[in-house]
Each structure stands twice: as structure tokens, then as C-alpha cells.
């Protein structure tokens, strides 16, 4: 599904990602752990194609196609989607209007999907204006439900969300990632960023990676990695010279 | 059923322009009509009980008391435009009267069409008597092919009596060679409400106007909303003024202005002269291409107990907002248009659905054309 090779990324004049290699197969959900400021969001924004993030070396292959130079909407059209940690507030733009624009008249039942994540009362509200942490995430999930991407990046889906909402959001993401299907029948893939790991109680993941200082330092079983970090913090990761 | 508007000389293109200005030639969703083409009154009719749509001339003949409303809130000596209109031997324009207690759900439409090179002049008087509710949509447009250009001089005097309400929605669809000089003012009595909405999505050579609402009655309300786009050759000098005289009166002046290279001067002035009055002025501007948005908000309080505020902001489209929508699959143009559409989305409290939909539809047409 996603294949990243030797990726180097600059923001402004500064290189913030160094030599990233990542491979996510169809049907797999990976988790990317790492302390604040380690470059996790930068990696997601780069994969999505945001213009602030300049790829200086390496490439991104998506479904076998080189998308390194594509704009965000071209990547979205090919099946990428993203749940933003802090999406912008767009004054005057109603959530319902965005959903209609995303659906491109594909015939999704917007009111029903909105009800499923308790956002039916928000369709006439300006997107993210005065939304609570949980409402922002539910609005993001709702947009993804309509967009229905094949590969979903989730940037800290649990941040600012209370317990009740985490379980709702986890369940919705699970259905987006076809977690209800048998493992060999799953076709959707995901990449989840978390620094607390709470979301992993609600979402099964297949493989974990740890990012520090703009590099992916290690790979492994997500629960083991998380347990390690819970016990020892990121200190060891920061000191780790292994690459 | 009211009769259909007959405008035999209008081409398909011009009929379309009228429709974009909110004029419903089939009269399906209107309760009355006034149509003036250049200086000729083509149609003046109202089917709503208790309401009248008359030509200025007929109205003056019919009601002697109208003298008391003629050049009373707008001074005939105000400037060259008012002097020009006042000097006309055959004044044109319309008089709309909502008699005591009447109300319309479907609006009355007034259409001023400029077809030939000349100055079109009108003098309108709109009266909502006690306990009445009057909704008007005014579509002002020029033919698609007005040779060397022309000008429109429009005087409008509004009188909102005790417990009455007027909403006046004006949609302009002029051309690059037309100059427009509306001169209008209103007086609002006790518990009266005056809503004035202005939408202009099309090029115009010059518009200059500064309508004033004097809120003389206790708890009277005025709301001005303007939604405008200035094309590269447009010069729009717009403003609105509210004078808060009646105890508890309040006003809200809202503008959304976009320049694609033209000039927009957005003036606003609220005067708080009495305790317990409130006023708010808001101007948001978006510069899509180098041009000018010059916001001049003025608030002037002179007594203890008046509360006035203003906010003005001029900026650009935010890249992160555009890319956010692009990450959902919208291309850059779609994302841009969607954000601009949101920026222009002003929901006007107290406006009937039919008129809000008309405003939305006018902006939708501009959105489809990519603004």
C-alpha cells in the first residue's frame, strides 16, 4: 500500500526528517510512537502532500505509484486520507457543506453517517469553530467516513478526547480500517500516531515504529514497544544510536 | 394569481441577468412587482391584501398625505444626485405601502432595468405602517449590451412605523460601464425593525452609497448586511450608518468584501446618542488579487450607557485551509471556491427563507463561475 524510501524532508531551511524508510502492506495498521517534536506529524503531512514540507531526497510510492510530486488532492483521489490533530477553523464554512463537497454526489447518506458519530447536530456549524476536542475528532472521523480512503493516517486521534469519545472514535476508525473483517480479507491500511498509546486500547495495530529526532529508530510489536516506553519513557529512545 | 411580468424587449441573456438579481418574471414566488425599464414604468401591481405597489406619479396623485414622506429622510439638497432627481419634471420610481397590520410572506419585487445609454433616475418611497411586515427584493440590472454606459440615480426613503418591519434586499447586476448612486435613508419608530441587505457579485464601474438608518423609536433595530465582490475595474465606495436615538435601540452593520483587483471602501458609522443603546460593526475583507479594501469603521458614543463595538479584518486565503480541503479530495480551485463561499455566508436574522435563499442562490451562481 505505502512504501517510503530514503525520505529526507525540509521545513523551511531545516531538514527535519532524515532517511525515513517505511513499508505498510495492504490490510495492515501500523503505529508510530515518539516524543513530542520528534517529527511524527511532519511525516504524515509529507505523506499527505502538504506544500510546507519539501522532499529533498527519496520517494513515496502509494499502491505502486510514485506520488512524491503529487498535490494533496491527487493523493486523496488515489485513496489517502488523514485525521488531523488540529484541523483549521474555517469561518463561515459549514461542516455539512464540506461533507457534501467531499462526497462529490457519490450518494453517501450524510445525515445517517453524522448520527453514527453523534455529529448530526453540527452540520450547520462552522467547521471546528467552538468545537470541543472530542467534537473536532468526531468531525474528522465523519469526513473520513464519507471520503472512505484506502489508507488512513491518524494524527493523535485520542488527544483532547474524553474516554467515552475515545471508544466511539476507536470503533469508527476500526470500521474504516475493516477491523470487523477477517485479517486476510482486510484491504485498508492505517498509520496511527500516538504518544500516549491510549488509542491502542481501542484499535488493534499490527506493527509499531518509534521515531526520535526525525528518524525511525526501531520497529516491532506495538504492544511491546508501548510497554517499554511506558516503563522507561522515551529517554532510551533519545539516546539510542541504533538506526 | 398575479400576472406574469411582461418585458417583451428583453433578450434571453437579459432575462437571465434579471433572474440573477432576484427578479422572478413568472411571479411564482412574489406577491407584487414594480418594473421600470429606463424611464418607462412597465408594471406596478400588488396582489397582497393591505399592500400597494404604485408608480411614484400615481401614488402622489392618489394620496395627498404622501407629501409628508417626500424628501423627508433624504434631503433633496444633499448632493448633485439628489438635486438631479429632485429637478425632474416627471419623477419616476415606486411607492410601496404596507398598510396597518398587513404582512407578506412572499416578497414584493422591484426591478430597475437600465437598457440604453443614459441616466436612469428613480425616487422610491417605502412605508410600513403600524404592525405591518413588508419584505422587498430589489433587482437592479443593466442590459448585457449597454453601449457606452450609463448611470443609475436612486433615491429611496424608508419609513418603519411602530411595531413594523421592513426587509429590503438589493441585488445589483450591473456592467463594467455603469455608475450607480443610490441615496437612501430610513426612519425606524418604536419596536420597528429595518433590515437592509446588499449583494453585488458582478462588475460595475462605480457604486457609491452610504444609507443611513435613524432609529428614533424605543427598542428599534437596524441591520445592514453587505456582501460584495469587486472585479478589477470596479470601484465600490460603500457604507452604512445607524443613528441610535431611541432608548434601547440597536444596530448591526456587517460587511463581507472580496476584491479581485478592484477597490472597495467599506465605511460604517454608528452613533450612540442614548443610554441603553447597542451597536456593532463588522467588516471582513479578503484580498484575492492586488486591489484595495479600505475599511473605515467609526463608532461614536456620546452618553453613558451606549455600548458600541467594531471589528475589521482584511486578509488572504489561508494556505492551510485550502490544503486541508485538498487532503479531502477537492482540487485547489474547488477548495478555494468552497472557502470563499463560506466567507460570504452571512445568515441574516429575521429574513424570510425565500429571501435568504435568493441571496444564497446569487452567491452560488458566482461560486459556480469560480468567483
Amino acid at each position: 500500500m505505502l512504501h517510503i524510501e530514503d525520505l529526507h524532508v525540509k521545513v523551511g531551511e531545516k531538514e527535519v526528517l532524515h532517511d525515513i524508510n517505511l513499508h505498510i502492506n495492504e490490510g495492515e495498521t501500523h503505529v508510530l510512537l515518539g516524543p513530542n517534536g520528534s517529527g511524527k506529524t511532519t511525516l504524515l503531512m509529507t505523506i499527505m502532500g502538504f506544500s510546507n514540507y519539501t522532499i529533498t531526497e527519496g520517494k513515496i510510492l502509494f499502491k505502486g505509484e510514485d506520488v512524491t510530486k503529487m498535490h494533496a488532492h491527487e493523493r486523496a483521489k488515489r485513496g489517502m486520507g488523514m485525521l488531523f490533530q488540529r484541523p483549521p477553523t474555517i469561518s463561515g464554512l459549514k461542516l455539512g457543506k464540506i461533507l457534501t463537497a467531499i462526497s462529490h454526489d457519490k450518494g453517501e447518506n450524510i445525515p445517517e453517517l453524522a448520527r453514527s458519530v453523534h455529529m448530526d447536530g453540527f452540520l450547520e456549524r462552522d467547521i471546528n469553530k467552538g468545537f470541543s476536542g472530542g467534537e473536532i475528532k468526531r468531525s474528522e472521523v465523519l469526513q473520513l467516513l464519507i471520503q472512505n480512503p484506502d489508507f488512513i493516517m491518524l494524527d493523535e486521534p485520542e488527544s483532547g478526547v474524553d474516554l467515552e469519545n475515545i471508544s466511539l472514535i476507536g470503533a469508527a476508525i476500526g470500521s474504516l480500517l475493516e477491523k470487523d473483517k477477517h485479517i486476510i480479507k482486510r484491504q485498508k491500511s492505517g498509520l496511527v500516531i500516538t504518544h500516549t498509546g491510549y488509542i491502542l486500547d481501542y484499535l488493534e495495530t499490527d506493527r509499531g515504529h518509534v521515531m526520535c529526532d526525525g528518524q525511525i529508530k526501531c520497529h516491532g510489536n506495538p504492544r511491546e514497544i508501548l510497554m517499554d516506553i511506558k516503563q522507561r519513557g522515551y529517554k532510551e529512545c533519545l539516546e539510542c544510536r541504533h538506526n | 394569481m398575479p400576472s406574469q411580468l411582461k418585458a417583451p424587449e428583453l433578450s434571453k441573456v437579459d432575462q437571465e441577468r434579471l433572474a440573477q438579481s432576484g427578479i422572478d418574471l413568472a411571479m411564482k414566488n412574489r406577491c407584487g412587482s414594480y418594473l421600470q425599464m429606463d424611464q418607462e414604468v412597465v408594471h406596478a401591481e400588488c396582489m397582497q391584501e393591505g399592500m400597494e405597489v404604485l408608480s411614484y406619479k400615481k401614488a402622489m396623485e392618489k394620496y395627498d398625505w404622501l407629501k409628508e414622506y417626500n424628501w423627508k429622510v433624504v434631503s433633496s439638497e444633499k448632493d448633485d444626485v439628489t438635486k438631479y432627481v429632485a429637478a425632474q419634471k416627471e419623477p419616476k420610481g415606486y411607492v410601496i405601502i404596507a398598510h396597518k397590520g398587513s404582512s407578506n410572506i412572499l416578497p414584493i419585487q422591484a426591478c430597475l432595468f437600465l437598457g440604453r445609454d443614459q441616466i436612469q433616475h428613480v425616487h422610491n418611497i417605502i412605508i410600513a405602517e403600524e404592525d405591518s411586515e413588508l419584505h422587498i427584493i430589489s433587482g437592479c440590472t443593466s442590459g448585457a449590451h449597454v453601449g457606452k454606459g450609463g448611470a443609475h440615480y436612486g433615491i429611496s426613503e424608508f419609513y418603519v412605523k411602530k411595531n413594523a418591519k421592513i426587509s429590503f434586499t438589493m441585488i445589483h447586476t450591473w456592467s463594467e460601464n455603469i455608475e450607480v448612486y443610490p441615496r437612501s435613508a430610513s426612519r425606524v419608530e418604536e419596536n420597528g425593525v429595518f433590515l437592509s441587505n446588499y449583494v453585488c457579485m458582478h462588475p460595475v464601474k462605480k457604486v457609491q452609497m452610504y444609507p443611513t438608518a435613524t432609529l428614533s423609536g424605543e427598542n428599534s433595530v437596524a441591520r445592514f448586511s453587505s456582501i460584495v465582490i469587486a472585479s478589477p475595474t470596479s470601484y465600490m465606495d460603500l457604507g452604512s450608518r445607524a443613528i441610535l436615538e431611541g432608548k434601547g435601540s440597536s444596530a448591526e452593520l456587517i460587511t463581507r468584501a472580496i476584491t479581485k483587483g478592484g477597490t472597495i471602501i467599506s465605511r460604517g458609522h454608528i452613533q450612540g446618542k442614548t443610554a441603553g443603546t447597542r451597536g456593532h460593526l463588522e467588516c471582513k475583507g479578503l484580498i484575492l488579487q492586488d486591489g484595495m479594501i479600505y475599511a473605515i469603521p467609526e463608532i461614536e458614543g456620546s452618553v453613558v450607557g451606549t455600548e458600541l463595538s467594531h471589528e475589521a479584518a482584511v486578509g488572504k486565503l489561508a494556505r492551510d485551509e485550502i490544503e486541508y480541503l485538498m487532503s479531502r479530495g477537492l482540487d485547489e480551485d474547488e477548495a478555494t471556491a468552497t472557502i470563499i463561499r463560506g466567507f460570504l455566508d452571512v445568515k441574516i436574522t429575521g429574513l424570510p427563507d425565500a429571501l435568504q435563499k435568493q441571496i444564497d442562490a446569487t452567491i452560488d451562481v458566482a461560486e459556480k463561475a469560480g468567483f
Side-chain angles (χ1 to χ4, degrees):
Chain A
M1 180 70 77
L2 182 79
H3 190 81
I4 295 176
E5 274 175 31
D6 310 327
L7 194 73
H8 292 252
V9 175
K10 267 186 173 177
V11 177
E13 286 306 303
K14 195 178 166 216
E15 181 168 300
V16 285
L17 296 183
H18 325 286
D19 200 22
I20 303 285
N21 287 281
L22 185 66
H23 189 80
I24 301 176
N25 288 320
E26 193 177 280
E28 285 179 2
T29 300
H30 290 210
V31 59
L32 184 62
L33 294 144
N36 283 329
S38 58
K40 304 187 298 295
T41 297
T42 298
L43 178 60
L44 259 53
M45 300 296 265
T46 306
I47 298 172
M48 193 67 242
F50 274 70
S51 59
N52 262 351
Y53 304 84
T54 313
I55 297 172
T56 52
E57 277 180 62
K59 59 183 173 184
I60 302 170
L61 300 176
F62 182 61
K63 296 181 182 172
E65 187 182 10
D66 189 342
V67 299
T68 314
K69 293 201 166 88
M70 282 184 193
H71 292 296
H73 77 277
E74 296 170 299
R75 302 184 194 201
K77 288 232 157 85
R78 280 162 176 78
M80 273 194 200
M82 180 160 168
L83 180 143
F84 290 77
Q85 188 187 1
R86 278 188 280 273
T89 298
I90 308 180
S91 196
L93 183 53
K94 306 288 175 277
L95 175 61
K97 171 101 181 172
I98 291 187
L99 299 177
T100 309
I102 295 172
S103 82
H104 277 107
D105 303 322
K106 279 186 295 193
E108 283 88 353
N109 190 334
I110 292 174
E112 196 179 303
L113 287 172
R115 263 194 302 279
S116 75
V117 287
H118 305 168
M119 287 305 281
D120 40 324
F122 291 75
L123 299 179
E124 286 305 309
R125 294 259 304 264
D126 289 6
I127 183 142
N128 298 324
K129 197 178 221 174
F131 284 19
S132 71
E135 287 156 2
I136 286 176
K137 294 295 151 70
R138 270 151 44 207
S139 145
E140 290 289 301
V141 167
L142 176 56
Q143 293 175 59
L144 289 172
L145 284 170
I146 288 164
Q147 197 183 343
N148 196 17
D150 298 325
F151 172 62
I152 307 169
M153 292 175 280
L154 305 141
D155 191 355
E156 306 268 4
E158 77 272 44
S159 74
V161 180
D162 56 36
L163 278 175
E164 191 187 350
N165 275 309
I166 291 189
S167 117
L168 178 77
I169 288 164
I173 293 169
S175 86
L176 271 167
L177 290 168
E178 301 181 327
K179 295 293 184 193
D180 47 341
K181 286 191 181 170
H182 189 281
I183 193 158
I184 54 167
K185 288 190 177 162
R186 273 180 217 151
Q187 291 178 316
K188 307 244 173 169
S189 310
L191 178 58
V192 190
I193 288 183
T194 175
H195 75 271
T196 62
Y198 294 146
I199 190 71
L200 302 187
D201 293 341
Y202 303 89
L203 187 69
E204 283 302 327
T205 53
D206 305 292
R207 196 164 161 74
H209 313 270
V210 179
M211 185 175 246
C212 280
D213 294 334
Q215 285 177 300
I216 293 181
K217 299 273 189 176
C218 64
H219 316 270
N221 178 302
R223 286 192 185 276
E224 276 182 46
I225 294 178
L226 186 64
M227 194 96 73
D228 238 24
I229 292 167
K230 274 186 179 160
Q231 282 171 3
R232 307 176 209 198
Y234 283 113
K235 194 166 172 286
E236 259 180 54
C237 299
L238 286 165
E239 287 164 359
C240 175
R241 292 284 161 240
H242 177 73
N243 189 6
Chain B
M1 271 289 287
S3 49
Q4 293 201 351
L5 275 188
K6 289 194 181 65
E9 291 163 33
L10 285 181
S11 67
K12 267 246 150 53
V13 176
D14 288 345
Q15 289 190 23
E16 183 56 33
R17 290 169 66 81
L18 281 178
Q20 280 179 29
S21 307
I23 298 303
D24 180 357
L25 288 172
M27 286 290 291
K28 276 187 190 147
N29 292 304
R30 304 288 183 255
C31 76
S33 273
Y34 174 84
L35 172 60
Q36 179 176 330
M37 299 180 70
D38 296 320
Q39 290 311 119
E40 188 192 345
V41 178
V42 178
H43 196 101
E45 180 190 30
C46 185
M47 306 306 289
Q48 184 71 44
E49 206 182 321
M51 292 193 177
E52 289 186 89
V53 177
L54 303 164
S55 69
Y56 178 90
K57 184 168 177 277
K58 271 203 182 144
M60 286 298 168
E61 287 165 5
K62 186 172 179 182
Y63 294 119
D64 196 42
W65 52 263
L66 261 180
K67 290 199 295 273
E68 300 305 315
Y69 297 86
N70 197 27
W71 296 113
K72 288 295 186 276
V73 288
V74 176
S75 163
S76 59
E77 293 298 311
K78 181 182 161 69
D79 59 20
D80 289 346
V81 172
T82 57
K83 283 177 191 163
Y84 178 91
V85 177
Q88 295 302 317
K89 289 206 172 61
E90 285 185 48
K92 303 289 176 177
Y94 57 81
V95 172
I96 298 177
I97 304 165
H99 290 289
K100 194 173 173 179
S102 65
S103 71
N104 63 339
I105 297 167
L106 296 176
I108 290 170
Q109 62 183 2
C111 172
L112 304 168
F113 184 86
L114 183 56
R116 292 190 295 268
D117 313 347
Q118 59 168 347
I119 295 175
Q120 180 186 50
H121 57 86
V122 295
H123 184 182
N124 310 319
I125 297 172
I126 298 102
I127 303 167
E129 292 185 346
E130 278 188 22
D131 302 308
S132 68
E133 183 167 334
L134 172 61
H135 300 286
I136 300 170
I137 180 156
S138 170
C140 304
T141 186
S142 50
H145 307 289
V146 185
K148 288 176 187 166
H152 172 88
Y153 291 2
I155 314 298
S156 297
E157 301 188 85
F158 296 88
Y159 299 89
V160 185
K161 302 288 191 169
K162 190 177 166 185
N163 299 325
K165 176 175 179 176
I166 291 179
S167 85
F168 185 78
T169 300
M170 180 159 76
I171 301 179
H172 277 177
T173 309
W174 301 106
S175 322
E176 279 162 349
N177 51 8
I178 308 285
E179 296 188 30
V180 189
Y181 299 95
R183 297 290 180 260
S184 68
S186 54
R187 190 166 64 222
V188 189
E189 296 182 7
E190 190 181 336
N191 292 323
V193 176
F194 179 63
L195 306 179
S196 172
N197 310 309
Y198 176 56
V199 181
C200 182
M201 300 278 114
H202 284 264
V204 58
K205 185 176 177 187
K206 183 177 179 182
V207 186
Q208 187 207 56
M209 61 179 183
Y210 207 152
T212 299
T214 304
L215 301 171
S216 56
E218 221 171 274
N219 297 322
S220 53
V221 176
R223 280 189 212 105
F224 287 92
S225 308
S226 302
I227 304 168
V228 297
I229 297 183
S231 303
T233 55
S234 296
Y235 184 95
M236 311 176 89
D237 185 346
L238 312 170
S240 39
R241 176 180 284 126
I243 301 168
L244 307 174
E245 289 181 351
K247 192 178 157 197
S249 61
S250 63
E252 195 174 37
L253 280 46
I254 291 177
T255 300
R256 295 285 182 274
I258 292 179
T259 179
K260 296 195 295 183
T263 297
I264 298 172
I265 303 170
S266 176
R267 304 174 194 273
H269 184 200
I270 305 178
Q271 258 185 305
K273 291 181 156 184
T274 311
T277 52
R278 278 174 297 118
H280 181 67
L281 204 160
E282 176 187 302
C283 174
K284 289 188 183 168
L286 199 54
I287 299 177
L288 296 183
Q289 281 168 40
D290 289 358
M292 194 206 284
I293 296 179
Y294 185 7
I296 313 172
E298 294 179 76
I299 49 178
E300 181 186 350
S302 50
V303 290
V304 174
T306 184
E307 289 178 65
L308 310 175
S309 59
H310 76 75
E311 54 177 308
V314 175
K316 60 171 184 175
L317 283 172
R319 191 72 210 161
D320 66 325
E321 294 176 11
I322 294 172
E323 293 197 310
Y324 177 61
L325 296 184
M326 286 173 74
S327 78
R328 302 285 186 230
L330 279 67
D331 68 32
E332 185 157 1
D333 289 344
E334 286 173 318
T336 304
T338 303
I339 293 168
I340 293 174
R341 184 66 183 81
F343 173 84
L344 294 176
D345 209 18
V346 176
K347 289 282 171 270
I348 298 152
T349 316
L351 196 65
D353 271 0
L355 286 170
Q356 182 70 56
K357 279 185 185 152
Q358 184 61 59
I359 291 175
D360 294 347
T362 302
I363 304 171
D364 286 344
V365 170
E367 181 185 359
K368 286 208 176 76
F371 292 105

